[in-house]
Amino acid sequence: MAISGAQAILGLFQEPEQVAQALDALRAAGFASRDLKTLTDSPYPEGAFGEEPEKHRLFVFPFIGAACGIALGLLITIGTQLAYPIVTGGKPLLSIPPMINVMYEGTMLGAIMFTVAGIIFESRLPYLTGTPYDPRISEGYLGVLVTRASGRLPEAERALRDAGAVDIVTK
Amino acid sequence: MAHVEPLTRAGTTHDLTGRVGRIGSGSAMLVLGILALAGLIGLILKVMSGPVPLNKWGYTAAALAFLLSTGQGMPVVAFATRLAKGYWALPLRRAAELGAVTGLVTTPLFIVLLFQLPDFFGRPSIWFDWPGGPVLWDSVAMILLTFTGLAMLFVSSRPDRALSTQQASDWPGTGRQWDVLTAGLVVLGAFYLMMLVFVHMYVVSDLGMSLVLGWRSAIIPPYHAVSGLQAGLATTLLVCGALRRFGGLRRYFGLDVFWGASKLLLGLSLLFFYFTWSELLTNWYGRTADEQFLLDLFMFGPYTALFISSVLLNFALPLALLIWNPIRVSVRGPIFVAGLILLGNLIDRLRIFVASWSVAGPLGPHRTFAPPAQYPDALDLLVFVGAVSAVTFLYLLALRFVPPIAIWEFKTGLLLTAERPYLKTEVAVVAKPQ
């Protein structure tokens, strides 16, 4: 298969052990860990293939959302009451129990919206990188994707094939 | 007995993707759709006839509370078992998450009911005459709950929906994506649970307690939420039983699913008793005029039969049945008990909301005697059946777009489970990654 000019290369494997071997071989050949990705049809335990854990910042999103939401809740409750103070029947201006209801809703609104946005963003969806893919991955095959492999494609292909790749896909 | 091939990852993918759109016959959906439409017409007729007399909304409020407890309680089962790494529950999580579609029915129903409420100004409630309460804030909370449930379903089914398109842009399955998906579902699930208990509080406070002058209780909102979780688990079990029996998924819904769930069901049934007993004791020993009235209205007056049935079906019978190993460690036993609990929850919601709306009215002197039991009329039945049918219709409709079992999650289970010989028998060894 002609692979000249391609930026990324995908090796398809049938066994997880082969994927681990391929990643070892690619790293030994000088490919950076950040340029190696495994594509699977279900989550494998972290580090199963010897890959370095990919950091994501999903957990930051709900906190930012919650902070924005509670600020909005405070603005609606305390802000409006203080801006337009109307004392009714000598009761306190700020009524804490219903304020907590409103602030809770505001906090949850922000946290939930930001979490959904965070999941989409941190999953990099839609995945429009243009890297090679093979539908057999969804049928149980495993893929090792080497990105930024321009100029070193033959080397990458050799490492993938030596590890037992059943097919090589380029784009 | 015919030889059954063990489940494989590739075979599972092929089998489950092939079932998308094949569960639920067209004729059944047509009937459900017609019933849902009839219910909608019934609701419109009720609304057009005006909000008074208020007691005509009791059965509609009970329908809402029942659906909130059952259908919208289901996604919590998926969340809880993910959080606890309960691998026995892998097959039932999608069935549980699909319960989120209930929100598409309960949200408009809740908003309609909120507009029927009597004037809240000066009324003892959680709102203290706060602007927008209860209509605006209750509506926002319910919309948010529904959105969160549907977001959970959308995120969880994303990899499975990509199977049918096989496009990299849909879900290539990088390690980072799986990490984000699994973490994101736990976070969303936690928020769903937080919203669900909050909405339970709103529903029982604003559609129940605030309508009964003198009803002050810190027990009822958590009681409503916990019995809702119990009903949500029971509904999940019944749906799994139906999918196993009628959806051809016998191989996926094995004994482990029902056995594991039955233990939770037993625990939740005990909690039902705790809250019921606490409420009873508080009023019994308080013995103020209001408390005697509450005992009369909800427990020992016109709705005694409902109260006794509720305790029997939600606590006594589940306890009496589930303590026995042959029943708990079986498929049919937990399904049968789940059916009892579902019926018990329906009776309990009727008891609370029909009784509450039967005494609803403008502020005035507190009542001392409960009015006679109120029976449903044709419109009540139409709305009730229509609402339940609409939820069932939406559930079956959703099954036309997503597999009945989360394929990616189920395959993870296959990946981490192995049969190994141990002495003279074989045992399942389950790996639990940290």
Side-chain angles (χ1 to χ4, degrees):
Chain A
M1 185 184 289
I3 54 173
S4 59
Q7 293 287 316
I9 182 169
L10 173 70
L12 279 179
F13 297 86
Q14 283 185 311
E15 300 299 331
E17 292 83 1
Q18 296 171 327
V19 174
Q21 287 168 15
L23 289 178
D24 287 344
L26 287 162
R27 273 194 293 265
F31 288 92
S33 292
R34 66 174 182 278
D35 295 331
L36 306 176
K37 294 189 191 321
T38 52
L39 307 184
T40 58
D41 64 340
S42 63
Y44 277 69
E46 194 174 271
F49 306 117
E51 79 281 17
E52 286 185 15
E54 283 194 75
K55 298 282 183 214
H56 63 78
R57 293 183 175 80
L58 177 65
F59 296 111
V60 175
F61 283 82
F63 283 107
I64 295 173
C68 294
I70 200 167
L72 182 71
L74 283 167
L75 194 69
I76 290 173
T77 53
I78 296 177
T80 51
Q81 298 296 312
L82 293 180
Y84 300 98
I86 301 171
V87 177
T88 312
K91 288 190 281 188
L93 198 58
L94 299 178
S95 181
I96 304 296
M99 278 171 53
I100 288 174
N101 290 344
V102 176
M103 284 194 292
Y104 183 85
E105 284 188 34
T107 309
M108 294 302 293
L109 178 69
I112 290 165
M113 293 298 174
F114 271 67
T115 302
V116 173
I119 290 171
I120 294 168
F121 177 76
E122 289 291 329
S123 302
R124 304 288 187 261
L125 290 173
Y127 200 76
L128 301 171
T129 58
T131 50
Y133 182 76
D134 193 290
R136 280 174 285 181
I137 290 170
S138 62
E139 292 164 9
Y141 280 65
L142 300 107
V144 172
L145 181 67
V146 187
T147 58
R148 288 190 281 193
S150 189
R152 300 184 65 193
L153 284 171
E155 209 176 336
E157 183 180 3
R158 195 179 318 117
L160 292 169
R161 287 208 187 278
D162 287 349
V166 292
D167 205 355
I168 299 288
V169 184
T170 58
K171 201 169 191 175
Chain B
M1 184 185 283
H3 175 68
V4 180
E5 288 292 325
L7 289 167
T8 61
R9 289 163 61 81
T12 300
T13 307
H14 186 259
D15 182 36
L16 290 176
T17 48
R19 290 181 189 278
V20 176
R22 291 191 181 171
I23 294 175
S25 70
S27 54
M29 288 188 69
L30 182 68
V31 172
L32 289 167
I34 291 169
L35 287 173
L37 200 63
L40 179 65
I41 292 168
L43 185 66
I44 291 170
L45 289 175
K46 263 182 180 284
V47 172
M48 285 173 66
S49 64
V52 287
L54 287 169
N55 62 3
K56 72 178 178 181
W57 295 102
Y59 282 92
T60 310
L64 166 77
F66 176 64
L67 291 176
L68 175 72
S69 302
T70 52
Q72 287 188 281
M74 292 169 73
V76 176
V77 180
F79 160 67
T81 58
R82 276 195 188 112
L83 188 70
K85 294 185 192 283
Y87 284 86
W88 57 268
L90 287 173
L92 65 69
R93 287 181 189 162
R94 175 61 49 75
E97 283 168 341
L98 280 164
V101 299
T102 309
L104 297 172
V105 176
T106 53
T107 304
L109 195 59
F110 189 35
I111 294 170
V112 166
L113 279 166
L114 288 170
F115 278 103
Q116 313 309 320
L117 286 170
D119 188 11
F120 259 52
F121 189 77
R123 182 178 290 272
S125 76
I126 57 172
W127 293 108
F128 295 88
D129 302 337
W130 188 264
V135 177
L136 174 64
W137 304 114
D138 283 22
S139 304
V140 170
M142 181 62 104
I143 290 168
L144 199 50
L145 174 70
T146 300
F147 173 80
T148 313
L150 293 176
M152 267 177 77
L153 179 60
F154 176 81
V155 171
S156 159
S157 63
R158 182 82 196 224
D160 293 342
R161 283 182 286 120
L163 285 173
S164 55
T165 59
Q166 298 199 331
Q167 293 295 315
S169 61
D170 288 343
W171 189 270
T174 63
R176 179 195 183 93
Q177 287 181 321
W178 291 120
D179 285 351
V180 171
L181 177 79
T182 47
L185 283 174
V186 170
V187 176
L188 275 180
F191 289 149
Y192 186 85
L193 178 60
M194 290 167 77
M195 282 311 301
L196 182 70
V197 295
F198 202 64
V199 170
H200 269 293
M201 180 188 75
Y202 277 176
V203 167
V204 77
S205 293
D206 294 337
L207 299 187
M209 295 169 68
S210 295
L211 303 180
V212 184
L213 299 177
W215 194 9
R216 295 175 294 271
S217 171
I219 296 166
I220 289 297
Y223 160 80
H224 204 269
V226 169
S227 56
L229 296 178
Q230 181 196 22
L233 178 59
T235 313
T236 306
L237 273 180
L238 278 175
V239 169
C240 291
L243 287 170
R244 177 185 153 94
R245 175 73 179 80
F246 305 109
L249 299 171
R250 185 176 291 269
R251 298 182 70 195
Y252 300 93
F253 290 105
L255 175 65
D256 276 0
V257 175
F258 298 94
W259 183 12
S262 69
K263 297 172 201 166
L264 294 176
L265 210 53
L266 180 57
L268 287 166
S269 299
L270 294 172
L271 275 176
F272 178 92
F273 175 73
Y274 166 74
F275 285 109
T276 307
W277 187 239
S278 299
E279 178 73 358
L280 174 62
L281 281 188
T282 306
N283 290 330
W284 188 270
Y285 286 109
R287 283 282 160 170
T288 63
D290 281 341
E291 284 164 333
Q292 289 182 53
F293 168 68
L294 293 174
L295 286 173
D296 186 30
L297 181 64
F298 292 109
M299 294 179 181
F300 305 115
Y303 300 102
T304 306
L306 295 189
F307 175 62
I308 292 170
S309 307
S310 166
V311 174
L312 277 176
L313 292 166
N314 284 305
F315 163 66
L317 287 174
L319 176 69
L321 293 171
L322 288 177
I323 55 171
W324 300 106
N325 275 346
I327 296 175
R328 196 175 64 250
V329 191
S330 69
V331 172
R332 289 182 182 175
I335 292 175
F336 177 71
V337 173
L340 295 179
I341 289 172
L342 202 68
L343 182 62
N345 189 269
L346 170 62
I347 288 172
D348 191 61
R349 296 323 183 222
L350 288 172
R351 176 181 75 92
I352 292 174
F353 291 93
V354 173
S356 295
W357 285 78
S358 73
V359 296
L363 291 172
H366 290 198
R367 285 173 178 260
T368 48
F369 293 102
Q374 186 185 326
Y375 295 98
D377 61 18
L379 275 186
D380 289 330
L381 291 174
L382 203 59
V383 172
F384 194 94
V385 171
V388 175
S389 301
V391 170
T392 316
F393 174 84
L394 288 172
Y395 197 99
L396 291 174
L397 188 67
L399 279 174
R400 301 207 162 224
F401 299 98
V402 295
I405 289 173
I407 299 173
W408 64 272
E409 231 172 355
F410 191 82
K411 285 197 289 192
T412 306
L414 291 179
L415 190 74
L416 299 175
T417 309
E419 294 284 334
R420 291 276 185 271
Y422 180 75
L423 299 179
K424 293 184 177 180
T425 185
E426 283 214 333
V427 293
V429 179
V430 182
K432 287 196 175 184
Q434 295 301 313

